[in-house]
Amino acid sequence: MATGTALLLGGGVGLGAYQLGAYAALEASGGIDLQAVSGSSIGAINGAILAGNAPDQRLAKLQAFWKRVEREAAPEEWTDPLALARTGPLRHLRNWSNILATRTTGTPGLFQPRLPGMGRTKVPSLYDSAPLFPSLLEFIDFDRLNAGAIRFAIATTDVETGETIPFDTALGDCITPDHLAAASALLPAFEPVQVDGRWLGDGGFSANVPLEPLLCSERPCPAPPLCLVLDLFAPDGPLPDGLEAAVERSTDLKYATQTTVRLAGLRRERALEVRLGNTEATTLLHLSYRGPVHEAGQEKTYDFSPATLRDRQQAGAADAQAALELLATLTPAPEPGLHIHRVRRAP
């Protein structure tokens, strides 16, 4: 792994277990030198856990967080070892059963249904994110997070103006639990959070992977030599063969094309910088989660069952290993500019 590594983490609720698996594989490689992290939504929370812990505690804390939020609500006969190994209709039905339970009763450490008179009610929402705050305080050392040893940036969206509102420790911003709750406040599921007089919602509305803080021409710090984008929605995929698959593909495209379009613009920006004499070179590896056929369609983001989270971690680990193998074949000193490589392992 090259010196000066940055992780750029996308949003996607329960799909974020993919990022845990990827980070575990990167750390196991023994060469990661994490210098910067940016994230939106669940990517902001995962990133804060990484930046807000000592190097020898990062993986353990991230694993403990994902253990906290898992839940299994399917009937016992569906969760025996044989059923867990299945990938067909029974597993698909089991995933939907877990999603129904999550949607109706919430998930530990993240959110619970909002009842009349419960918590903040400035903007109506389906869920109350109060359970998230104790989790953030347990798994993140906010003093360390804001001390700046690892640069940490998040994206939120101003609900009233539609602007992307970033927060960045490199600019002196102090990140609090409210900032992370705002970065993951996906309307109408969650209520926006008021920060500095603005009502802020999920960064995924405007920047599901916050690329600009680390890579744009107005970046406050030199561009990292190596960036890994861990996207939770894939820009490419098969032609849908049913209505459920079509709705799922629609969701994937809404978020994934944000990243591909903005990466193309950033590559043009960096090419202009090179013409103006900038010599910084950045290698960017773009990884995307692609779920198995038994994922629960458009509602897959609300599946927190242990088996599904384990599948996603394994996919992240496999993709990260493919990224490391690709990296080993690339020139160690690329030409100035932004060099983007899609990582797509063989099925």
Side-chain angles (χ1 to χ4, degrees), residues 246-263:
V247 178
E248 177 185 14
R249 187 72 190 123
S250 172
T251 301
D252 287 356
L253 288 169
K254 287 175 185 177
Y255 291 107
T257 53
Q258 282 191 30
T259 305
T260 53
V261 168
R262 286 164 45 241
L263 277 175

Side-chain angles (χ1 to χ4, degrees), residues 5-24:
T5 304
L7 297 180
L8 299 93
L9 308 177
V13 200
L15 304 182
Y18 172 84
Q19 295 167 350
L20 163 58
Y23 178 77

Side-chain angles (χ1 to χ4, degrees), residues 328-341:
T329 69
L330 302 177
T331 175
E335 294 294 319
L338 177 62
H339 306 272
I340 300 169
H341 303 272

